[in-house]
Amino acid sequence: MTETQYAGTIDWGEYWDGADEAVREDTGPSADLVAEPFVEFLDTNFRDGPDAYADVGCGPGDLAFEVAERYPDTTVVGYDAAEAVLAANRERAREADREVAFERAVLPEFDPDRRFDVVSCLFTLCYVADIARAIERLYGAVEPGGCLVFNYHNRLARAHYNRIAEAPHEHLGEDAVWDPERFTDRFGLVLAGENLLSYERIHEVLGTWPQSVFSLADNAEPYAAHRYEPLVYVPK
């Protein structure tokens, strides 16, 4: 693995070092926004659950623990660049007696010593400069017959985020997940348009068309930002 690169975003090692439960909740939107459609998607594609699942950029580990609880026979591994959050997740796994492993990985490089039926990367690619390389490596870790699931920011997201950046304290109230003081640093890559994707670009990089997760998880409502932060899967 390469060393952590934080250019264009905040230092995630520093962010997670000493983070309390409120920070963990605010930085884990996967639990609130995509857990329901993601689990329905897995139920639709894997009746008894996937044999192996990896969540890359797992943060506080919400999806990894959700999958481990729902599918006890699935091998679950969470990957993140920040050692502090990995240590907290390992402690949580010990306390909950869950067979969930947590390992360090730094995007865009991702070279695990195994392949997975499902690899997810959620609310993470917006912090990665070389996004094409990142999805290539993520897709390379998927077993044939499996799929990569991720969300990404498009041109609409950039326009929306630039409006927020013009007056973050006006747009981000007390209930906002994002800290207005950190917004422009945190999403610098998106604001600069350096790591945006589209269906066409994903097809160009991976050679396969992405599809909306909500096309298979039709009992779940798309989250409000889905128009400019699409949630897709790419079969292999």
Side-chain angles (χ1 to χ4, degrees):
M1 297 293 177
T2 60
E3 289 302 310
T4 305
Q5 300 295 318
Y6 295 113
T9 185
I10 64 176
D11 184 322
W12 288 99
E14 179 183 282
Y15 181 92
W16 284 114
D17 189 19
D20 59 19
E21 190 60 30
V23 170
R24 290 173 62 86
E25 290 178 359
D26 285 350
T27 317
S30 299
D32 296 328
L33 300 181
V34 303
E36 182 180 351
F38 183 70
V39 167
E40 185 181 341
F41 172 82
L42 293 183
D43 286 344
T44 300
N45 286 274
F46 304 92
R47 177 178 296 180
D48 299 317
D51 289 336
Y53 164 64
D55 188 27
V56 184
C58 65
D62 297 310
L63 276 185
F65 285 109
E66 178 72 23
V67 172
E69 181 176 356
R70 190 173 186 89
Y71 308 110
D73 294 330
T74 297
T75 297
V76 178
V77 185
Y79 293 91
D80 204 273
E83 291 286 5
V85 78
L86 293 172
N89 291 345
R90 292 178 189 126
E91 179 61 26
R92 178 181 171 185
R94 283 193 293 271
E95 292 176 352
D97 194 25
R98 293 289 179 197
E99 293 292 329
V100 185
F102 290 95
E103 301 179 11
R104 187 168 184 266
V106 182
L107 292 172
E109 299 303 322
F110 181 58
D111 187 21
D113 58 359
R114 69 204 88 176
R115 286 186 175 182
F116 302 88
D117 300 291
V118 180
V119 174
S120 66
C121 187
L122 302 167
F123 302 97
T124 296
L125 290 173
C126 55
Y127 308 120
V128 180
D130 191 349
I131 198 168
R133 177 67 170 165
I135 62 174
E136 267 188 330
R137 297 307 294 262
L138 291 165
Y139 197 56
V142 176
E143 284 277 13
C147 59
L148 170 62
V149 180
F150 62 98
N151 74 324
Y152 63 90
H153 288 62
N154 58 25
R155 288 179 298 174
L156 291 176
R158 183 190 182 192
H160 176 66
Y161 279 39
N162 270 291
R163 283 193 294 271
I164 295 175
E166 289 173 0
H169 289 277
E170 177 182 331
H171 292 287
L172 303 174
E174 293 182 358
D175 296 331
V177 172
W178 302 320
D179 180 353
E181 298 291 344
R182 289 182 178 233
F183 184 83
T184 55
D185 290 334
R186 181 170 181 165
F187 296 108
L189 293 168
V190 174
L191 293 169
E194 293 184 16
N195 62 351
L196 308 181
L197 285 175
S198 65
Y199 270 46
E200 292 76 12
R201 180 59 174 152
I202 295 167
H203 178 264
E204 179 183 325
V205 173
L206 301 183
T208 304
W209 286 103
Q211 302 174 54
S212 173
V213 165
F214 294 99
S215 67
L216 293 182
D218 52 9
N219 290 322
E221 287 291 327
Y223 48 89
H226 184 255
R227 191 165 64 96
Y228 47 84
E229 297 177 23
L231 176 64
V232 300
Y233 71 97
V234 185
K236 189 170 187 180

